Amino acid sequence: MKNVLIISGHPDLSQSVANAAILEELATALPDAEIRYLDKLYPNGQIDVPQEQEALLKADLIVWQFPFSWYSVPGLLKLWIDRVFTHGFAHGSQAKLNGKKLLVSLTAGAPKAVYATDGFFGHNIEEYFAQFESTARLCNLDHQQPIYTCGLSYVGRDQALAAEQRAEAKVFAQDVIARIKELSK
């Protein structure tokens, strides 16, 4: 398997059901993949840019795993992108990420039905993904079709709902694992 780098962009995995379950499954199924848990590495938001850039340089496949937050990436992942994907490293004439694959994997809290032109948000969820394609294009990354699941929102302390969402997240994780294995051949 090629070098796989998974960036966990959840702002606080200790409060997560779905993303925590997905990342547990990924860690078990892909023991050679490097998983960088941004919430644990940078609880104060002080990103170690050289260390993150070094991890990216080693990777053949970069996976961003995160909960969809305000129709985008969570703040911590956005900060990481802002600090790490600098001109001269990620883009520009001296860019160093050329040709690496980028797979965006996300969980959306709202059900899929609200992500439709006739749904509550008035847009298909895929319309929100143009930003990922544009980032990949700017950085000459090989953008892969994003993979996502909907309806996995914060469930609070309801243990039955949490167990149900954990089970759904594990099923989704198997799809993510299959995609990663397919892309890393």
Side-chain angles (χ1 to χ4, degrees):
M1 178 179 285
K2 293 182 180 178
N3 293 323
V4 177
L5 174 64
I6 301 167
I7 304 297
S8 166
H10 196 290
D12 185 358
L13 272 175
S14 70
Q15 298 299 311
S16 171
V17 172
N19 276 266
I22 291 164
L23 288 159
E24 287 170 12
E25 294 293 308
L26 294 178
T28 300
L30 306 167
D32 294 333
E34 179 180 1
I35 302 177
R36 300 194 59 77
Y37 299 91
L38 299 184
D39 66 321
K40 293 176 186 161
L41 289 168
Y42 308 115
N44 60 4
Q46 300 301 310
I47 309 293
D48 184 335
V49 173
Q51 184 176 32
E52 296 305 313
Q53 289 178 340
E54 185 61 34
L56 287 163
L57 289 174
K58 293 178 195 172
D60 298 302
L61 171 61
I62 302 160
V63 180
W64 291 348
Q65 176 62 54
F66 60 91
F68 206 40
S69 177
W70 289 104
Y71 321 104
S72 186
V73 297
L76 182 58
L77 183 53
K78 175 67 167 89
L79 177 66
W80 181 87
I81 294 167
D82 287 347
R83 299 275 164 76
V84 175
F85 277 56
T86 57
H87 183 269
F89 173 76
H91 58 94
S93 62
Q94 303 296 315
K96 297 171 177 63
L97 299 180
N98 298 343
K100 295 178 185 289
K101 294 177 183 175
L102 174 64
L103 175 62
V104 172
S105 171
L106 62 92
T107 60
K112 177 117 173 140
V114 301
Y115 290 107
T117 53
D118 61 348
F120 181 79
F121 295 134
H123 296 279
N124 292 320
I125 193 166
E126 293 85 1
E127 292 179 61
Y128 296 101
F129 299 166
Q131 61 186 312
F132 308 128
E133 184 177 351
S134 295
T135 298
R137 186 169 297 198
L138 175 66
C139 300
N140 201 25
L141 292 165
D142 183 1
H143 179 257
Q144 304 299 306
Q145 183 67 35
I147 186 168
Y148 63 91
T149 187
C150 295
L152 296 179
S153 63
Y154 177 74
V155 294
R157 299 179 198 274
D158 186 314
Q159 295 302 314
L161 280 175
E164 182 181 313
Q165 287 197 354
R166 191 172 297 108
E168 289 176 36
K170 287 182 176 193
V171 170
F172 174 70
Q174 295 310 308
D175 293 339
V176 177
I177 291 163
R179 272 299 281 293
I180 290 171
K181 286 182 176 180
E182 173 188 319
L183 292 170
S184 11
K185 288 181 183 176

